[in-house]
Amino acid sequence: MKLIHITDTHFVAPGLTLYGLDPHARLSAAVTDINAHHRDAELVIVTGDITHWGEPQAYASFADCMAVLKVPYVTLVGNHDLRHECLAALKSAPRDNNGFVQGFRDASRGRLIFLDTLEHDTHAGHMCDRRLSWLQQTLAETPQEKPIFLFMHHPPFNVGIDAMDQIALVEREQFSDIIKPYLGRIRHLFHGHVHRPISGSWMGVPFSTLRGTNHQVWFDLNPSSPHLASQEPPAYGVVLVTGHTVIVHAHDYMDQSPRFPFSKDGASDREYVLGTF
């Protein structure tokens, strides 16, 4: 199974830039690259912060950009989104019976579960009792033979970047209590929000996130450091799942650094690598 993970696209109204960057152009470059190299993916999942201010024009611009994608896609919400506007504009956003942007899809290697951690008027992540109950029911109803993959915007743990840890998921204890009976079946947790390439494990569950397609959060583990954005390269994730492995490649799709062969016919390796090739 191949999946594509995109996060934190931060669209604004057409014609505007955000932190000196064009969110539409940068996501469009990702879509072009995915169409060229990963049309065999089963699904693209965008883990929230689709827009920066939740404007209808921004959602329309996002939908216009994604319209040329040759792979089906699902969009989640993050702290910069507005739930009603997202659901009104994007057919790709799942909806549960309570009107939250939650749902699941059974793919070739397991069940993909999509979660809503948005709480309006705060950048911190929240899951109310209704959302947590939905997750508990969905996990309970997942057939025993199906592995589970979780997708959400806010991480349910700290990542070591103080400003982001202050606005991670608040109800992490309730969340962890719900997933504990299924830890042996949860193969991976994908999240956004942090705008950094991070991987590891939490309660034994492997997780990963990556840079957004627009701006990034500057890496600094000093709690007293200022909270800074950066123009580091954007990325999307290419997820390869077999019966025994989950491999996540973070692809800096706009990287323009030189590419060259490791060796050259007619030249010794030493001559080649030490020369100007």
Side-chain angles (χ1 to χ4, degrees), residues 4-22:
I4 303 296
H5 181 196
I6 294 174
T7 195
D8 294 276
T9 55
H10 284 266
F11 266 59
V12 290
L16 299 180
T17 59
L18 185 69
Y19 301 118
L21 302 168
D22 183 346

Side-chain angles (χ1 to χ4, degrees), residues 166-186:
Q166 291 182 31
I167 54 172
L169 184 69
V170 172
E171 294 83 8
R172 60 186 68 186
E173 290 187 14
Q174 297 94 315
F175 181 83
S176 62
D177 285 345
I178 286 172
I179 70 169
K180 276 178 183 175
Y182 306 93
L183 291 179
R185 294 170 56 197
I186 300 174

Side-chain angles (χ1 to χ4, degrees), residues 39-103:
R39 291 179 66 169
D40 58 335
E42 289 189 32
L43 191 67
V44 172
I45 304 97
V46 190
T47 52
D49 279 2
I50 304 303
T51 67
H52 197 68
W53 288 297
E55 302 156 308
Q57 310 97 301
Y59 286 111
S61 182
F62 172 85
D64 175 71
C65 184
M66 297 290 280
V68 299
L69 181 66
K70 303 300 183 183
V71 180
Y73 70 97
V74 170
T75 49
L76 309 186
V77 285
N79 49 290
H80 281 270
D81 289 304
L82 295 178
R83 188 177 292 110
H84 177 269
E85 284 75 1
C86 177
L87 287 170
L90 301 179
K91 294 180 179 178
S92 56
R95 185 198 300 256
D96 69 11
N97 291 333
N98 293 308
F100 293 108
V101 185
Q102 300 198 139

Side-chain angles (χ1 to χ4, degrees), residues 169-223:
L169 184 69
V170 172
E171 294 83 8
R172 60 186 68 186
E173 290 187 14
Q174 297 94 315
F175 181 83
S176 62
D177 285 345
I178 286 172
I179 70 169
K180 276 178 183 175
Y182 306 93
L183 291 179
R185 294 170 56 197
I186 300 174
R187 296 197 64 190
H188 205 86
L189 184 154
F190 300 87
H191 68 87
H193 189 52
V194 189
H195 295 243
R196 299 300 317 160
I198 305 173
S199 61
S201 64
W202 169 67
M203 300 201 310
V205 175
F207 70 85
S208 62
T209 187
L210 64 159
R211 297 191 192 104
T213 58
N214 197 63
H215 58 285
Q216 315 309 334
V217 171
W218 183 249
F219 179 64
D220 195 329
L221 298 180
N222 185 343

Side-chain angles (χ1 to χ4, degrees), residues 127-183:
M127 292 191 75
C128 61
D129 288 343
R130 288 180 295 170
R131 280 174 277 180
L132 290 168
S133 294
W134 180 91
L135 172 60
Q136 189 171 37
Q137 180 178 349
T138 301
L139 289 170
E141 294 175 351
T142 300
Q144 288 284 336
E145 69 276 8
K146 287 187 181 294
I148 296 164
F149 300 84
L150 299 177
F151 295 83
M152 58 201 301
H153 183 69
H154 294 82
F157 43 77
N158 289 348
V159 299
I161 300 173
D162 186 67
M164 302 308 296
D165 291 342
Q166 291 182 31
I167 54 172
L169 184 69
V170 172
E171 294 83 8
R172 60 186 68 186
E173 290 187 14
Q174 297 94 315
F175 181 83
S176 62
D177 285 345
I178 286 172
I179 70 169
K180 276 178 183 175
Y182 306 93
L183 291 179

